[in-house]
Structures are given as C-alpha cells and as structure tokens.
Amino acid sequence: MTRAVLILFLLYLVSMTIASQDDHYDALVSGALFDGVNTAAPDADGISVFKDFRNHADAVASILLYSAKETAFYPSSACGVHTQPEAFFNYLQKATSFPAFRYLGVEDEQYMLELRNGGSEQLLDQIAEKYYGREGVRVSRKLETDNAAREIREAFRKLVPKSIEDPGWRRWVLSLVTIYKPKDSDEITFDLAHVRLTISRDAVTGEAVIDPQVASLTKSSYLVMGRYISFYSDEIANFIEKATVNVFLRAMTTCNKEEEERETEVKFKPQRCKTRGEGPQRQSGTPRRTCGMNVQ
C-alpha cells in the first residue's frame, strides 16, 4: 500500500464513532436487500473474494458486516426490535468510512414524509414516492424506477411493526441497506436508508399505531471502487473475514418474533422426512426446509 492509502485503511480499522444525542431512538427494525446477480464463487477464499471482481458482491457484504460487528450492531440477535441507541448510527459512520466506498452525491438525500392521515399505507406510499423521486438526483441505474420503488416499498412494509411490547418505545428507526449488482457489470453500488418516525401503542390491543406526523427519510448512495479492493486484497483479507451476501442479509435483518415463535412450534411437530431425491429440484443456493432443518 502507498502511505496515504495505508493511513486511510488503518483509520477505518481503528475508527471509533460516537453517535450524537440527536441520533438516539427507542427502537429500531433493520432489513437488507440484494438486488441483481451475485457472481461470487461459493468456494472462494478470503483473498480471492476481495481480489476477483466477480466476487465483489461478497466482498462488500464482508466489509459491511465487519463494520456492524465492530460497532456492536447486531440486528438479527434482537427478535422484534433493536434497542441499543447508539449502535446503528455508529455503524453507519463506520461502514461509510471504508476507503473503497465513494459517496455518490454532495449530501445525504433527506425527505419529509407528510403523514396527514397516519397509517402504514400512507407511510409506505410516501417512501416509494420519495426514494427515487427527487429531481436532479441520479435515479437507480440498476432497475426501472417503478419496479425499484415497488421493491423498496415492500421491503419497508416488512419493517413496520404490527405490535409494540413496551409503551415507552415511541421514537422508531426503520433501516434498510440495499446492495446492487447488475447482471452485465461488475460495478456495485449500495444504498443506506432509514426512516425516523413516532409510533404509539394502542393501550388495549398493543397494536402499533402510526399517528399523523411529519416523518423523515434519509438515504445515501455509494459506489464501490472495485480496483481498490482488488489491488489491496491481501491487506484487506488480513483484517476482514469473508462473508457471503446471504450471511450478510440474515445478519442485518431483525428477526420477526411472531415468525420465530411459529417456526419453533412447527419445529417440534412430527414431520415426514423427505429424502434428498424427493420433490422438485430446488434452485442452487436456496435453503430447503427438511424435518425442521435448513438443508443447503
């Protein structure tokens, strides 16, 4: 590494971030998407994940997951919500300081979401409208805008809580990270987006209620400089452990408590075990549930 690049990389490794008081929240739900085609070789070792451009979807997933671990941001470990106030914003600062991530824009895109009637549908409509809609801002090159907005809308739908355990959880963050890898290109970009809003708890039913308010959507986009990652693959692999896109998606997604409880119930019900030769052929890399277990 040149001295300047080495300094930037070392600063990323040792950087410690402290979220401001304004960044505090009561509860957070996190989600992650991968959009495109992952051309990474399943058996690629740590160095080749960073060196070979075809493996860079996994490389980006590895770097983002490393950043989460370094800032103690563990969404998948929290069934229902994540309640550590500083962890999420510390994670954002850590992840975006990696030298190979080039910020696309002058400042974060921030939108006010006017929820005049309240409710989740109005919230989702506003998110879908604003996510790719600002004039003068580069629309996603990965997807047609309508399809992209629809996918983002549905991703955020999964983040909206249906019920709230603690009535003290009023300040919420709904977070979504999306990695894009076009089929016909090795260029990778990713978005970091989060919505801040207040959600109240129905005193009788415990259901989540989105009242009329002005919420906010913040989004930032980054281009992955693949040449940097490839050129310094040896050094990066010495510090950052390989992770696949699928591992990253699971780690960055807050588990659904109701689904976990249903899966636990199903797990202990008697089931007829299928042999590997039975049933339709599954797609490569897609887990198949067999007798309560995920078989890769």
Side-chain angles (χ1 to χ4, degrees), residues 7-283:
I7 291 174
L8 286 175
F9 182 58
L10 291 177
L11 285 175
Y12 162 78
L13 291 174
V14 303
S15 63
M16 296 295 293
T17 54
I18 301 176
S20 69
Q21 186 67 31
D22 293 338
D23 288 336
H24 286 191
Y25 54 83
D26 299 318
L28 176 143
V29 182
S30 173
L33 285 176
F34 177 79
D35 210 330
V37 178
N38 187 359
T39 55
D43 57 349
D45 61 23
I47 294 178
S48 62
V49 162
F50 298 105
K51 189 173 187 63
D52 191 331
F53 284 82
R54 293 171 297 181
N55 297 330
H56 278 185
D58 281 358
V60 173
S62 302
I63 297 166
L64 292 175
L65 187 56
Y66 172 85
S67 300
K69 290 179 178 178
E70 287 294 294
T71 52
F73 182 53
Y74 303 114
S76 63
S77 66
C79 272
V81 295
H82 186 280
T83 56
Q84 296 180 14
E86 298 88 0
F88 170 66
F89 291 100
N90 286 343
Y91 160 68
L92 291 184
Q93 294 176 42
K94 179 77 173 180
T96 56
S97 69
F98 188 75
F101 296 160
R102 191 180 79 189
Y103 181 54
L104 294 173
V106 178
E107 59 183 10
D108 288 350
E109 299 172 37
Q110 295 186 334
Y111 306 94
M112 295 297 102
L113 309 178
E114 297 185 17
L115 310 181
R116 296 181 179 179
N117 301 320
S120 61
E121 291 305 312
Q122 188 173 45
L123 170 67
L124 296 171
D125 288 343
Q126 288 277 302
I127 293 173
E129 177 185 342
K130 300 292 177 63
Y131 197 93
Y132 293 117
R134 173 181 285 183
E135 292 183 1
V137 174
R138 181 179 58 84
V139 173
S140 169
R141 292 173 295 174
K142 283 70 65 175
L143 296 168
E144 295 180 2
T145 305
D146 290 343
N147 293 337
R150 190 180 304 114
E151 186 168 354
I152 293 297
R153 188 185 197 277
E154 292 310 304
F156 272 101
R157 180 190 294 279
K158 296 177 182 178
L159 304 182
V160 177
K162 293 180 174 61
S163 61
I164 299 178
E165 294 182 21
D166 189 335
W169 294 345
R170 286 192 50 81
R171 297 176 300 174
W172 284 74
V173 170
L174 310 180
S175 164
L176 182 68
V177 53
T178 306
I179 301 175
Y180 302 95
K181 167 66 171 65
K183 178 180 179 180
D184 56 353
S185 172
D186 288 328
E187 181 179 282
I188 299 176
T189 59
F190 65 91
D191 293 339
L192 298 172
H194 66 275
V195 172
R196 304 188 68 161
L197 74 164
T198 59
I199 305 178
S200 58
R201 179 180 185 272
D202 186 286
V204 178
T205 65
E207 293 181 352
V209 179
I210 300 177
D211 299 310
Q213 61 186 284
V214 178
S216 66
L217 165 66
T218 302
K219 171 193 165 192
S220 56
S221 300
Y222 294 83
L223 172 67
V224 178
M225 294 187 288
R227 291 183 180 277
Y228 177 104
I229 294 177
S230 180
F231 191 81
Y232 299 113
S233 56
D234 288 358
E235 290 83 355
I236 296 173
N238 283 335
F239 293 94
I240 298 180
E241 183 180 1
K242 170 196 171 181
T244 65
V245 167
N246 287 338
V247 167
F248 169 75
L249 296 179
R250 289 194 296 268
M252 297 305 294
T253 300
T254 307
C255 75
N256 184 302
K257 188 173 183 179
E258 294 178 356
E259 290 182 0
E260 286 289 310
E261 291 174 348
R262 286 198 298 269
E263 287 188 4
T264 300
E265 292 176 1
V266 171
K267 182 177 180 180
F268 292 101
K269 289 182 179 179
Q271 302 181 54
R272 174 179 174 269
C273 294
K274 288 185 177 182
T275 63
R276 289 182 179 269
E278 293 182 313
Q281 293 294 319
R282 63 191 179 97
Q283 294 182 349

